[in-house]
Coordinates of all heavy atoms in Angstrom, one line a residue:
M1 N 140.2 29.6 23.0 CA 139.1 30.6 23.4 C 139.4 31.9 22.7 O 140.5 32.3 22.5 CB 139.2 30.8 24.9 CG 138.1 31.6 25.5 SD 138.2 31.7 27.3 CE 136.5 31.6 27.6
R2 N 138.3 32.5 22.3 CA 138.4 33.8 21.4 C 139.2 34.9 22.2 O 139.9 35.7 21.5 CB 137.1 34.2 21.0 CG 137.1 35.3 20.0 CD 135.7 35.6 19.6 NE 135.8 36.6 18.6 CZ 135.2 36.6 17.4 NH1 134.5 35.6 17.1 NH2 135.4 37.6 16.6
I3 N 139.0 35.0 23.5 CA 139.7 36.1 24.2 C 141.2 36.0 24.1 O 141.9 37.0 23.8 CB 139.2 36.2 25.7 CG1 137.8 36.6 25.7 CG2 140.1 37.0 26.5 CD1 137.2 36.7 27.1
E4 N 141.7 34.8 24.3 CA 143.2 34.6 24.2 C 143.7 34.8 22.8 O 144.8 35.3 22.7 CB 143.6 33.2 24.7 CG 143.5 33.0 26.2 CD 142.3 32.2 26.6 OE1 141.7 31.6 25.8 OE2 142.1 32.1 27.8
Q5 N 142.9 34.6 21.8 CA 143.4 34.8 20.4 C 143.5 36.3 20.0 O 144.3 36.6 19.3 CB 142.4 34.1 19.4 CG 142.4 32.6 19.5 CD 141.4 32.0 18.6 OE1 140.5 32.6 18.1 NE2 141.5 30.7 18.4
N6 N 142.5 37.1 20.5 CA 142.4 38.4 20.1 C 142.9 39.5 21.1 O 143.0 40.7 20.8 CB 141.0 38.7 19.7 CG 140.5 37.9 18.6 OD1 141.3 37.6 17.6 ND2 139.3 37.4 18.7
W7 N 143.1 39.1 22.4 CA 143.4 40.1 23.4 C 144.7 39.6 24.2 O 145.0 38.5 24.3 CB 142.3 40.2 24.4 CG 141.0 40.6 23.7 CD1 140.0 39.9 23.1 CD2 140.6 42.0 23.6 NE1 139.0 40.7 22.6 CE2 139.3 42.0 22.9 CE3 141.1 43.2 24.0 CZ2 138.6 43.1 22.6 CZ3 140.4 44.3 23.7 CH2 139.2 44.3 23.0
E8 N 145.4 40.6 24.7 CA 146.5 40.4 25.6 C 146.3 41.2 26.9 O 145.6 42.2 26.9 CB 147.8 40.9 25.0 CG 148.3 40.2 23.8 CD 149.5 40.7 23.2 OE1 149.8 41.9 23.2 OE2 150.3 39.9 22.7
D9 N 146.9 40.7 28.0 CA 146.8 41.4 29.2 C 147.5 42.7 29.2 O 148.5 42.9 28.4 CB 147.4 40.6 30.4 CG 146.5 39.3 30.7 OD1 145.3 39.4 30.4 OD2 147.1 38.4 31.2
C10 N 147.1 43.7 29.9 CA 147.8 45.0 30.0 C 147.6 45.5 31.5 O 146.8 45.0 32.2 CB 147.3 46.0 29.0 SG 145.6 46.6 29.3
F11 N 148.4 46.5 31.8 CA 148.4 47.1 33.1 C 148.2 48.6 32.9 O 148.8 49.2 32.1 CB 149.7 46.8 33.8 CG 150.0 45.3 34.0 CD1 150.7 44.6 33.1 CD2 149.4 44.7 35.1 CE1 150.9 43.3 33.2 CE2 149.6 43.3 35.3 CZ 150.4 42.6 34.3
V12 N 147.2 49.1 33.7 CA 146.9 50.6 33.6 C 147.4 51.3 34.9 O 147.1 50.9 36.0 CB 145.4 50.7 33.6 CG1 145.0 52.2 33.4 CG2 144.8 49.9 32.4
Y13 N 148.3 52.2 34.6 CA 149.0 52.9 35.7 C 148.5 54.4 35.7 O 148.3 55.0 34.7 CB 150.5 53.0 35.5 CG 151.2 51.6 35.6 CD1 151.4 50.9 34.4 CD2 151.6 51.1 36.8 CE1 151.9 49.6 34.5 CE2 152.1 49.8 36.8 CZ 152.3 49.1 35.7 OH 152.9 47.9 35.7
L14 N 148.4 54.9 36.9 CA 148.2 56.4 37.1 C 149.5 56.9 37.7 O 150.0 56.4 38.7 CB 147.1 56.7 38.1 CG 145.7 56.1 37.7 CD1 144.7 56.4 38.8 CD2 145.2 56.7 36.4
V15 N 150.1 57.9 37.0 CA 151.4 58.4 37.4 C 151.3 59.9 37.6 O 150.5 60.6 37.0 CB 152.5 58.1 36.4 CG1 152.8 56.6 36.2 CG2 152.2 58.7 35.0
S16 N 152.0 60.4 38.6 CA 152.1 61.8 38.9 C 153.6 62.2 38.5 O 154.5 61.6 39.0 CB 151.9 62.1 40.4 OG 150.6 61.7 40.7
L17 N 153.7 63.3 37.8 CA 155.0 63.8 37.3 C 155.2 65.2 37.6 O 154.3 66.0 37.7 CB 155.0 63.6 35.7 CG 154.7 62.3 35.2 CD1 154.6 62.4 33.6 CD2 155.8 61.3 35.5
E18 N 156.5 65.5 37.8 CA 156.9 66.9 38.0 C 157.7 67.3 36.8 O 158.7 66.6 36.5 CB 157.8 67.1 39.3 CG 158.3 68.5 39.5 CD 159.2 68.6 40.7 OE1 159.0 67.8 41.7 OE2 160.1 69.4 40.7
V19 N 157.3 68.4 36.2 CA 158.0 68.9 35.0 C 158.7 70.2 35.4 O 158.1 71.1 35.9 CB 157.0 69.1 33.8 CG1 157.7 69.6 32.6 CG2 156.2 67.9 33.5
P20 N 160.0 70.2 35.2 CA 160.8 71.4 35.6 C 160.4 72.7 34.9 O 159.9 72.6 33.8 CB 162.2 71.0 35.4 CG 162.2 70.0 34.3 CD 160.9 69.3 34.5
A21 N 160.8 73.8 35.5 CA 160.6 75.1 34.8 C 161.4 75.2 33.6 O 162.5 74.6 33.4 CB 160.9 76.2 35.8
S22 N 161.0 76.0 32.6 CA 161.7 76.3 31.4 C 161.7 77.8 31.2 O 161.0 78.5 32.0 CB 161.1 75.6 30.2 OG 159.8 76.2 29.9
P23 N 162.4 78.3 30.3 CA 162.4 79.7 30.1 C 161.0 80.3 29.8 O 160.7 81.4 30.0 CB 163.3 80.0 28.8 CG 164.2 78.8 28.9 CD 163.4 77.6 29.4
R24 N 160.1 79.4 29.3 CA 158.7 79.9 28.9 C 157.7 79.6 29.9 O 156.6 80.1 29.8 CB 158.3 79.3 27.6 CG 159.2 79.7 26.4 CD 158.7 79.2 25.1 NE 158.4 77.8 25.1 CZ 159.1 76.8 24.5 NH1 160.0 77.1 23.7 NH2 158.7 75.6 24.6
R25 N 157.9 78.7 30.9 CA 156.9 78.4 31.9 C 157.5 78.0 33.2 O 158.6 77.5 33.3 CB 156.0 77.3 31.3 CG 156.6 76.0 31.2 CD 155.6 74.9 30.9 NE 156.3 73.7 30.7 CZ 156.2 72.9 29.7 NH1 155.4 73.2 28.7 NH2 156.9 71.8 29.6
E26 N 156.7 78.0 34.2 CA 157.1 77.6 35.6 C 157.0 76.1 35.7 O 156.4 75.4 34.9 CB 156.1 78.3 36.6 CG 156.2 79.8 36.6 CD 155.2 80.3 37.7 OE1 154.7 79.5 38.5 OE2 154.9 81.5 37.6
K27 N 157.6 75.6 36.8 CA 157.5 74.2 37.1 C 156.1 73.8 37.3 O 155.3 74.6 37.8 CB 158.3 73.9 38.4 CG 158.1 72.5 38.9 CD 159.0 72.2 40.1 CE 158.4 72.9 41.3 NZ 159.1 72.5 42.6
W28 N 155.7 72.6 36.8 CA 154.3 72.2 36.9 C 154.2 70.7 37.2 O 155.2 70.0 37.0 CB 153.5 72.6 35.6 CG 154.0 72.1 34.3 CD1 155.1 72.5 33.7 CD2 153.4 71.1 33.5 NE1 155.3 71.8 32.5 CE2 154.2 70.9 32.4 CE3 152.3 70.3 33.6 CZ2 153.9 70.0 31.4 CZ3 152.0 69.4 32.6 CH2 152.8 69.3 31.5
F29 N 153.0 70.3 37.6 CA 152.8 68.9 37.9 C 151.6 68.4 37.1 O 150.7 69.2 36.7 CB 152.4 68.8 39.4 CG 153.4 69.3 40.3 CD1 153.5 70.6 40.7 CD2 154.4 68.5 40.8 CE1 154.5 71.1 41.5 CE2 155.4 68.9 41.6 CZ 155.5 70.2 42.0
T30 N 151.7 67.2 36.7 CA 150.6 66.6 35.9 C 150.4 65.1 36.3 O 151.3 64.5 36.8 CB 151.0 66.7 34.4 OG1 149.9 66.3 33.6 CG2 152.2 65.9 34.0
N31 N 149.2 64.7 36.1 CA 148.9 63.2 36.2 C 148.5 62.6 34.9 O 147.9 63.3 34.1 CB 147.6 63.1 37.2 CG 147.9 63.6 38.5 OD1 148.9 63.3 39.1 ND2 147.0 64.5 39.0
R32 N 149.0 61.4 34.7 CA 148.8 60.8 33.4 C 148.4 59.3 33.6 O 148.8 58.7 34.6 CB 150.1 60.8 32.5 CG 150.5 62.2 32.1 CD 149.5 62.6 31.0 NE 149.9 63.9 30.4 CZ 149.3 65.0 30.7 NH1 148.3 65.1 31.5 NH2 149.7 66.2 30.1
T33 N 147.7 58.8 32.6 CA 147.4 57.4 32.6 C 148.3 56.7 31.6 O 148.4 57.2 30.4 CB 145.9 57.2 32.2 OG1 145.1 57.9 33.2 CG2 145.5 55.7 32.2
I34 N 148.9 55.6 31.9 CA 149.8 54.9 31.0 C 149.4 53.4 31.0 O 149.1 52.8 32.1 CB 151.3 55.0 31.5 CG1 151.7 56.5 31.5 CG2 152.2 54.2 30.6 CD1 153.1 56.7 32.1
V35 N 149.3 52.9 29.8 CA 148.9 51.5 29.6 C 150.1 50.8 29.0 O 150.6 51.1 28.0 CB 147.6 51.4 28.7 CG1 147.3 49.9 28.5 CG2 146.5 52.1 29.2
L36 N 150.5 49.7 29.7 CA 151.6 48.9 29.3 C 151.3 47.4 29.3 O 150.4 47.0 30.0 CB 152.8 49.1 30.2 CG 153.4 50.5 30.3 CD1 154.4 50.6 31.4 CD2 154.0 51.0 29.0
K37 N 152.0 46.7 28.5 CA 151.8 45.2 28.5 C 152.6 44.5 29.6 O 152.3 43.4 29.9 CB 152.3 44.6 27.1 CG 151.4 45.0 26.0 CD 151.8 44.3 24.7 CE 150.8 44.7 23.6 NZ 151.2 44.0 22.4
N38 N 153.5 45.2 30.2 CA 154.3 44.7 31.3 C 154.0 45.3 32.6 O 153.8 46.5 32.7 CB 155.8 44.8 31.0 CG 156.3 44.1 29.7 OD1 155.8 43.1 29.4 ND2 157.1 44.8 29.0
E39 N 154.1 44.5 33.7 CA 154.0 45.1 35.0 C 155.3 45.6 35.5 O 156.3 44.9 35.4 CB 153.4 44.0 36.0 CG 153.1 44.6 37.4 CD 152.4 43.5 38.2 OE1 152.4 42.4 37.9 OE2 151.9 43.9 39.3
L40 N 155.3 46.9 36.0 CA 156.6 47.5 36.4 C 156.5 47.9 37.8 O 155.4 48.4 38.3 CB 156.8 48.8 35.5 CG 156.9 48.6 34.0 CD1 157.2 50.0 33.4 CD2 158.0 47.6 33.6
N41 N 157.6 47.9 38.5 CA 157.7 48.4 39.9 C 158.1 49.9 39.8 O 158.3 50.4 38.7 CB 158.7 47.6 40.8 CG 160.1 47.7 40.3 OD1 160.6 48.6 39.7 ND2 160.8 46.6 40.5
F42 N 158.2 50.6 40.9 CA 158.5 52.0 40.9 C 159.8 52.4 40.1 O 159.8 53.3 39.3 CB 158.5 52.6 42.3 CG 158.6 54.1 42.3 CD1 157.5 54.9 42.2 CD2 159.8 54.7 42.5 CE1 157.6 56.3 42.2 CE2 160.0 56.1 42.5 CZ 158.8 56.9 42.4
S43 N 160.9 51.7 40.4 CA 162.1 52.0 39.8 C 162.1 51.7 38.3 O 162.7 52.5 37.5 CB 163.3 51.3 40.5 OG 163.2 49.9 40.4
E44 N 161.4 50.7 37.9 CA 161.3 50.4 36.5 C 160.5 51.4 35.8 O 160.8 51.8 34.7 CB 160.7 49.0 36.3 CG 161.6 47.8 36.7 CD 160.9 46.5 36.7 OE1 159.7 46.5 37.0 OE2 161.5 45.5 36.5
M45 N 159.4 51.9 36.4 CA 158.6 52.9 35.9 C 159.4 54.2 35.8 O 159.3 55.0 34.8 CB 157.3 53.1 36.7 CG 156.4 54.2 36.1 SD 155.7 53.9 34.5 CE 154.4 52.7 34.8
K46 N 160.2 54.5 36.8 CA 161.0 55.7 36.8 C 162.0 55.7 35.6 O 162.1 56.7 34.8 CB 161.8 55.7 38.1 CG 162.6 57.0 38.3 CD 163.2 56.9 39.7 CE 164.2 58.0 40.0 NZ 164.8 57.9 41.3
D47 N 162.6 54.5 35.3 CA 163.5 54.4 34.1 C 162.7 54.6 32.8 O 163.1 55.2 31.9 CB 164.2 53.1 34.1 CG 165.2 52.9 35.2 OD1 165.6 54.0 35.8 OD2 165.5 51.8 35.6
F48 N 161.5 54.0 32.8 CA 160.6 54.1 31.6 C 160.3 55.5 31.3 O 160.3 56.0 30.2 CB 159.4 53.2 31.8 CG 158.4 53.4 30.7 CD1 158.5 52.7 29.5 CD2 157.2 54.2 30.8 CE1 157.6 52.8 28.5 CE2 156.3 54.3 29.8 CZ 156.5 53.6 28.6
I49 N 159.9 56.3 32.3 CA 159.5 57.7 32.2 C 160.7 58.5 31.7 O 160.6 59.3 30.8 CB 159.0 58.3 33.5 CG1 157.7 57.6 33.9 CG2 158.9 59.8 33.5 CD1 156.5 57.9 33.0
K50 N 161.9 58.3 32.3 CA 163.1 59.0 31.8 C 163.4 58.7 30.4 O 163.9 59.6 29.7 CB 164.3 58.6 32.7 CG 164.1 58.9 34.2 CD 164.8 60.2 34.5 CE 164.7 60.5 36.0 NZ 164.4 61.8 36.3
K51 N 163.3 57.5 29.9 CA 163.6 57.1 28.5 C 162.5 57.6 27.6 O 162.9 58.0 26.4 CB 163.7 55.6 28.4 CG 164.9 55.0 29.1 CD 164.9 53.5 29.0 CE 166.1 52.9 29.8 NZ 166.1 51.5 29.8
T52 N 161.3 57.6 27.9 CA 160.2 57.9 27.0 C 159.7 59.4 27.0 O 159.4 59.9 26.0 CB 159.0 57.0 27.2 OG1 158.5 57.2 28.5 CG2 159.3 55.6 26.9
I53 N 159.7 60.0 28.2 CA 159.3 61.4 28.3 C 160.4 62.3 28.4 O 160.4 63.4 27.8 CB 158.3 61.5 29.5 CG1 157.1 60.7 29.4 CG2 157.9 63.0 29.7 CD1 156.1 60.7 30.5
G54 N 161.5 62.0 29.1 CA 162.7 62.8 29.2 C 163.3 62.7 30.6 O 162.6 62.5 31.6
P55 N 164.6 62.9 30.6 CA 165.4 62.7 31.8 C 165.1 63.8 32.8 O 165.3 63.7 34.0 CB 166.8 62.7 31.4 CG 166.8 63.4 30.1 CD 165.5 63.1 29.5
E56 N 164.5 65.0 32.4 CA 164.3 66.1 33.3 C 163.0 65.9 34.0 O 162.7 66.6 35.0 CB 164.3 67.4 32.5 CG 163.1 67.5 31.5 CD 163.2 66.8 30.2 OE1 164.3 66.2 29.9 OE2 162.2 66.7 29.5
V57 N 162.1 65.0 33.7 CA 160.8 64.8 34.3 C 161.0 63.9 35.5 O 161.7 62.9 35.4 CB 159.8 64.2 33.3 CG1 158.5 63.9 34.0 CG2 159.6 65.2 32.2
T58 N 160.4 64.2 36.6 CA 160.5 63.4 37.9 C 159.2 62.7 38.1 O 158.1 63.3 38.1 CB 160.8 64.4 39.1 OG1 162.0 65.1 38.8 CG2 161.0 63.6 40.3
L59 N 159.3 61.4 38.3 CA 158.2 60.6 38.7 C 158.0 60.7 40.2 O 158.8 60.4 41.0 CB 158.5 59.1 38.3 CG 157.4 58.1 38.7 CD1 156.1 58.4 38.0 CD2 157.9 56.7 38.5
L60 N 156.8 61.2 40.6 CA 156.5 61.4 42.0 C 155.7 60.2 42.6 O 155.9 59.9 43.7 CB 155.6 62.7 42.1 CG 156.3 64.0 41.6 CD1 155.3 65.1 41.7 CD2 157.6 64.3 42.4
N61 N 154.8 59.7 41.8 CA 154.0 58.6 42.3 C 153.5 57.7 41.2 O 153.3 58.2 40.1 CB 152.7 59.2 43.0 CG 151.9 58.2 43.8 OD1 152.5 57.3 44.4 ND2 150.6 58.3 43.6
V62 N 153.4 56.4 41.5 CA 152.8 55.5 40.5 C 151.9 54.5 41.2 O 152.2 54.0 42.2 CB 153.9 54.8 39.7 CG1 154.8 53.9 40.6 CG2 153.3 53.9 38.6
D63 N 150.7 54.4 40.6 CA 149.7 53.4 41.2 C 149.3 52.5 40.0 O 148.9 52.9 39.0 CB 148.5 54.1 41.7 CG 148.7 54.9 43.0 OD1 149.4 54.3 43.8 OD2 148.2 56.0 43.1
L64 N 149.4 51.2 40.3 CA 148.8 50.2 39.4 C 147.3 50.3 39.6 O 146.7 49.8 40.6 CB 149.3 48.8 39.7 CG 148.7 47.7 38.8 CD1 148.9 48.0 37.3 CD2 149.3 46.4 39.2
W65 N 146.6 50.9 38.7 CA 145.2 51.2 38.8 C 144.3 50.0 38.5 O 143.4 49.8 39.2 CB 144.8 52.4 38.0 CG 143.4 52.9 38.1 CD1 142.8 53.3 39.3 CD2 142.5 53.0 37.1 NE1 141.5 53.7 39.0 CE2 141.3 53.5 37.7 CE3 142.5 52.8 35.7 CZ2 140.1 53.8 37.0 CZ3 141.3 53.0 35.0 CH2 140.2 53.5 35.6
D66 N 144.7 49.3 37.5 CA 143.8 48.2 37.1 C 144.6 47.3 36.1 O 145.6 47.7 35.5 CB 142.6 48.7 36.4 CG 141.4 47.7 36.4 OD1 141.6 46.6 36.9 OD2 140.4 48.1 35.8
E67 N 144.1 46.1 36.0 CA 144.6 45.2 34.9 C 143.5 45.2 33.9 O 142.3 45.3 34.2 CB 144.9 43.8 35.5 CG 146.0 43.8 36.5 CD 146.3 42.4 37.0 OE1 145.9 41.4 36.3 OE2 146.8 42.3 38.1
G68 N 143.9 45.1 32.6 CA 142.9 45.1 31.6 C 143.3 44.2 30.4 O 144.2 43.4 30.5
L69 N 142.6 44.4 29.3 CA 142.9 43.7 28.1 C 143.1 44.7 27.0 O 142.5 45.8 26.9 CB 141.6 42.9 27.7 CG 141.3 41.7 28.6 CD1 140.0 41.1 28.2 CD2 142.4 40.7 28.6
V70 N 144.0 44.4 26.1 CA 144.3 45.3 24.9 C 144.2 44.4 23.7 O 144.7 43.2 23.7 CB 145.7 45.9 25.0 CG1 146.8 44.9 25.1 CG2 145.9 46.9 23.9
A71 N 143.6 44.9 22.6 CA 143.5 44.1 21.4 C 144.8 43.9 20.7 O 145.6 44.8 20.6 CB 142.5 44.9 20.4
K72 N 145.1 42.7 20.3 CA 146.3 42.3 19.6 C 146.3 43.0 18.3 O 147.3 43.7 17.9 CB 146.5 40.8 19.4 CG 146.8 40.1 20.7 CD 146.9 38.6 20.4 CE 147.2 37.9 21.7 NZ 147.3 36.4 21.5
E73 N 145.3 42.8 17.5 CA 145.1 43.5 16.2 C 143.6 43.5 15.9 O 142.9 42.6 16.3 CB 145.8 42.7 15.1 CG 147.3 42.7 15.2 CD 147.9 42.0 14.0 OE1 147.3 41.9 12.9 OE2 149.0 41.5 14.2
W74 N 143.2 44.4 15.1 CA 141.8 44.5 14.6 C 141.7 45.2 13.3 O 142.5 45.8 12.8 CB 140.9 45.0 15.7 CG 141.2 46.4 16.1 CD1 142.2 46.8 16.9 CD2 140.5 47.6 15.7 NE1 142.2 48.2 17.1 CE2 141.2 48.7 16.4 CE3 139.4 47.9 15.0 CZ2 140.8 50.0 16.2 CZ3 139.0 49.2 14.8 CH2 139.7 50.2 15.5

């Protein structure tokens, strides 16, 4: 089937993060959408955030918002 040849499953997460204060700005909060090929639980997402965004950022909340498709190549 064409879908399986050209597309892979993905998982769309909504995450809430706390970014600590720095000398130039106060502590702030932000929401982000993250799309991954793997399904992660809270602790796995926490590790992923620490490795990719930085160890100083705190993961406050994660919601698996939707499952989707991502193009393999085009």
Side-chain angles (χ1 to χ4, degrees):
M1 186 176 218
R2 189 175 182 131
I3 289 178
E4 285 108 7
Q5 291 174 348
N6 298 320
W7 298 88
E8 292 180 324
D9 292 333
C10 68
F11 300 91
V12 181
Y13 295 93
L14 299 177
V15 297
S16 298
L17 305 170
E18 178 184 326
V19 182
S22 71
R24 296 186 311 245
R25 69 171 177 233
E26 296 180 14
K27 174 175 74 171
W28 58 289
F29 300 89
T30 186
N31 297 311
R32 292 287 184 252
T33 303
I34 299 176
V35 178
L36 299 173
K37 289 185 180 180
N38 299 322
E39 187 171 10
L40 302 178
N41 63 32
F42 186 84
S43 64
E44 292 169 328
M45 182 61 80
K46 189 174 168 182
D47 292 340
F48 176 78
I49 295 295
K50 298 261 183 224
K51 289 177 186 173
T52 58
I53 298 177
E56 68 282 352
V57 175
T58 303
L59 177 64
L60 301 174
N61 188 42
V62 61
D63 287 320
L64 176 58
W65 185 56
D66 201 0
E67 294 180 24
L69 296 173
V70 62
K72 289 182 182 179
E73 291 183 28
W74 58 285

